[in-house]
Amino acid sequence: MIQEMRKEFMNAEKNVLAACEKAKEVQPKLNAVVTFIDPSEQLSHLEEHKDGLMAGVPIVLKDNVCTKGIRTTASSKILDNYIPVYDAFIVEKLRNAGAITIAKASLDELAMGGTNTTAYTGPVHNPWDITRMSGGSSGGSAVLVASGVVPFAIGSDTGDSVRKPASYCGVIGVKPTYGRISRYGIIPYSSSLDHVGYFTRNVEDACIGLEVLAGRDDRDMTTSTKEVPAFSKLLNSSLEGKKIGVIKNVIDSIKNQETVQIFNELIEKCKAQGAEIVDVTFDNNLMRAILPTYYMIANCEATANHSNLDGIRFGVQEPGESTEEVMIQSRTEGFGIQVRKRFITGSYGLFVENQEKLFRKAQRVRRLIVEEMKNALTSVDCLIAPASSSIAPKLEGEQMDELSEDYLIAENHMVMGNFSGYPSMTLPMGFSKECPLGVNITCRAFEEETMFNIAAGIEKCTGLKDIIAEVK
Ligand code: GLN
């Protein structure tokens, strides 16, 4: 899609305006956009970037990406009036590649959530069935790609926030290796887990996306100096001789047998293409510990990162008699229930007397989980499992047992990709009740080339490429 649009550079303006129109047309049903952007100013500079890898391609940014002079809310009431004075590094990268940003997309408030039902602008709807959720936290970006508005959208992934909505929406969601893409100018959530990620509708576009976004940035000291390969030119969909490890703990935890069946059919097709399939079994106690470990680390880091959201420095200020009262009122009024809950957990984990037994302990458990992955990936090229245990849940009236392995393991295993920083992506594997289901693969650090190749092989097996949801 990106390649085709780029070739149609002479029609760029028409394509961009059509995307703007479509974004507005689906908005009443999907509620995916926080702010529409008038593209005229960007279009007037189009010629300067005509050789870029995304020349004339309309795109969308998650609304936690800072855009100079354009409101950036992170879907939180406290940032309703926040207009950044600088662009995120990736915004510069995308502009230089010729991409045209047409909208800022909704997310779970401050990227804390997996449902995109906590944005202060209301829930985002799934384009395959608008009574279902989009998944989160990058739900707005996912649905705008899935419904055919744009071929590319930026998200962020701290615990699976690109890969989960990708599964629910039938698109590709990529979280590259920690350090591949600069996070300068992304409103943080949990710095040791935060990654920039993105959505596309085919694997080739996923390669182009990383070529555009990756690279060292001195303003994010965690970025890598490693060379960025021309992934799209190196793409090879052969599965011959590829060693793929099926995460048994995930399969065994899934209640929905249709999901298991769709996954097993895919595995058979991969075998037929020459892949060697092996089972990988991790310590199940560690698997059950993924989510509590994640919440402890993420909430503690988020509490520290967001101490600057106090209504004093920037953002929405509530009145009060003293500075302290202004802060208390601004934070009480400015955050939703989900975020406040997480700040309470985070503050508790950071109390001096609790740090060792909660925060540090969680860091040690994280290390043990990463060791399991690292060991497994010495003998296989990638790990594979369904991205979620079922299709997108209904917005109303569906609840999972949060202590079940179906939830703790099957629904949340992709957090392992954030613990390790290993590259991980989701792509469509099939449909149930006319809604998509995704498969997730994870490879060794900085081996995105292998990941894209295996993904291209899977894409060939499923035939699910460039699928678009018709919003009804
Ligand atoms: N489900 C995770 C959470 O609620 C994902 C968040 C993310 O990746 N931003 O924190």
Side-chain angles (χ1 to χ4, degrees):
M1 302 300 291
I2 292 179
Q3 292 279 37
E4 281 109 69
M5 275 206 173
R6 195 171 152 246
K7 280 189 202 127
E8 265 191 61
F9 183 71
M10 56 289 180
N11 291 331
E13 191 165 337
K14 201 175 114 233
N15 288 339
V16 169
L17 296 179
C20 294
E21 217 161 278
K22 178 132 200 222
K24 289 191 179 132
E25 186 192 308
V26 294
Q27 177 70 357
K29 288 202 170 129
L30 302 181
N31 193 31
V33 176
V34 179
T35 305
F36 291 96
I37 298 175
D38 176 351
S40 6
E41 159 71 15
Q42 297 171 74
L43 283 170
S44 70
H45 294 284
L46 200 54
E47 267 309 301
E48 296 159 36
H49 309 295
K50 66 173 188 305
D51 298 323
L53 282 175
M54 290 191 185
V57 176
I59 64 156
V60 160
L61 303 172
K62 185 175 179 176
D63 204 25
N64 60 355
V65 179
C66 285
T67 41
K68 188 175 173 180
I70 297 171
R71 201 165 73 113
T72 300
T73 69
S75 288
S76 181
K77 195 174 153 203
I78 205 166
L79 290 174
D80 181 57
N81 61 0
Y82 175 54
I83 299 183
V85 291
Y86 69 111
D87 276 326
F89 181 73
I90 59 162
V91 172
E92 286 170 33
K93 283 262 194 193
L94 288 161
R95 187 187 302 122
N96 292 337
I100 308 283
T101 304
I102 65 154
K104 303 288 296 287
S106 176
L107 54 146
D108 275 303
E109 183 177 6
L110 296 173
M112 295 185 196
T115 58
N116 221 142
T117 56
T118 68
Y120 84 113
T121 49
V124 173
H125 297 257
N126 193 302
W128 296 94
D129 174 351
I130 59 169
T131 67
R132 294 182 185 274
M133 59 178 64
S134 61
S137 62
S138 316
S141 301
V143 310
L144 290 165
V145 172
S147 58
V149 172
V150 285
F152 183 88
I154 292 290
S156 64
D157 190 314
T158 303
D160 68 9
S161 272
V162 163
R163 294 162 291 153
K164 178 65 71 66
S167 176
Y168 288 171
C169 293
V171 292
I172 289 182
V174 179
K175 179 205 79 65
T177 310
Y178 190 82
R180 266 287 190 213
I181 305 179
S182 166
R183 300 167 302 167
Y184 175 79
I186 312 290
I187 295 175
Y189 167 7
S190 169
S191 307
S192 77
L193 300 164
D194 287 347
H195 296 65
V196 172
Y198 55 90
F199 300 93
T200 65
R201 285 194 295 266
N202 63 61
V203 176
E204 192 192 6
D205 285 356
C207 293
I208 296 173
L210 196 53
E211 285 173 49
V212 168
L213 297 167
R216 170 72 187 173
D217 172 16
D218 285 342
R219 290 165 302 179
D220 175 352
M221 295 306 281
T222 63
T223 51
S224 163
T225 50
K226 270 197 191 348
E227 186 200 332
V228 181
F231 300 109
S232 58
K233 298 208 174 67
L234 298 165
L235 196 59
N236 168 3
S237 62
S238 165
L239 290 178
E240 196 61 56
K242 293 279 186 324
K243 249 184 136 179
I244 298 180
V246 175
I247 311 178
K248 270 287 277 167
N249 312 65
V250 176
I251 310 301
D252 293 345
S253 309
I254 298 176
K255 271 212 195 106
N256 186 328
Q257 286 313 301
E258 202 184 349
T259 304
V260 177
Q261 191 195 328
I262 292 171
F263 177 76
N264 286 341
E265 280 165 19
L266 170 63
I267 291 299
E268 285 311 312
K269 287 184 193 157
C270 291
K271 267 189 204 159
Q273 295 298 316
E276 188 188 331
I277 309 290
V278 295
D279 280 344
V280 170
T281 305
F282 293 135
D283 178 335
N284 214 53
N285 285 329
L286 286 176
M287 295 298 280
R288 289 180 62 97
I290 289 173
L291 204 55
T293 302
Y294 166 75
Y295 277 135
M296 188 42 63
I297 294 172
N299 291 345
C300 287
E301 291 186 9
T303 302
N305 275 332
H306 291 311
S307 58
N308 65 349
L309 298 178
D310 54 13
I312 304 282
R313 286 162 258 229
F314 55 90
V316 178
Q317 187 176 94
E318 296 295 333
E321 295 295 315
S322 61
T323 313
E324 197 183 340
E325 209 182 299
V326 168
M327 288 185 180
I328 293 172
Q329 285 307 328
S330 302
R331 286 176 72 89
T332 305
E333 293 296 314
F335 297 128
I337 181 82
Q338 171 95 335
V339 167
R340 277 183 278 150
K341 258 202 241 166
R342 290 187 182 208
F343 286 161
I344 290 171
T345 318
S347 304
Y348 187 76
L350 290 176
F351 284 166
V352 174
E353 64 272 29
N354 293 341
Q355 262 181 36
E356 194 54 41
K357 61 176 191 264
L358 293 172
F359 185 50
R360 302 263 173 251
K361 188 168 181 186
Q363 287 173 321
R364 285 195 286 272
V365 177
R366 172 182 181 174
R367 173 45 55 193
L368 294 176
I369 294 168
V370 174
E371 282 300 314
E372 293 270 298
M373 295 176 77
K374 190 170 154 229
N375 290 340
L377 281 164
T378 54
S379 55
V380 296
D381 296 310
C382 94
L383 295 167
I384 193 167
S388 59
S389 71
S390 61
I391 58 168
K394 290 267 189 191
L395 277 163
E396 309 277 346
E398 238 183 275
Q399 249 205 320
M400 275 184 97
D401 170 4
E402 295 196 355
L403 292 177
S404 66
E405 292 199 346
D406 198 23
Y407 185 75
L408 289 174
I409 299 177
E411 202 57 34
N412 283 292
H413 67 92
M414 292 191 293
V415 170
M416 289 198 293
N418 302 75
F419 283 172
S420 60
Y422 296 167
S424 181
M425 70 188 276
T426 293
L427 59 162
M429 69 168 177
F431 280 83
S432 160
K433 298 187 187 140
E434 293 178 28
C435 286
L437 259 174
V439 63
N440 178 255
I441 58 174
T442 300
C443 293
R444 287 180 285 267
F446 294 102
E447 294 196 6
E448 283 92 351
E449 189 187 332
T450 307
M451 177 174 81
F452 289 140
N453 288 344
I454 294 173
I458 293 173
E459 188 179 58
K460 230 164 133 190
C461 291
T462 62
L464 296 173
K465 189 179 172 190
D466 295 325
I467 50 171
I468 292 182
E470 193 194 324
V471 185
K472 285 190 273 218

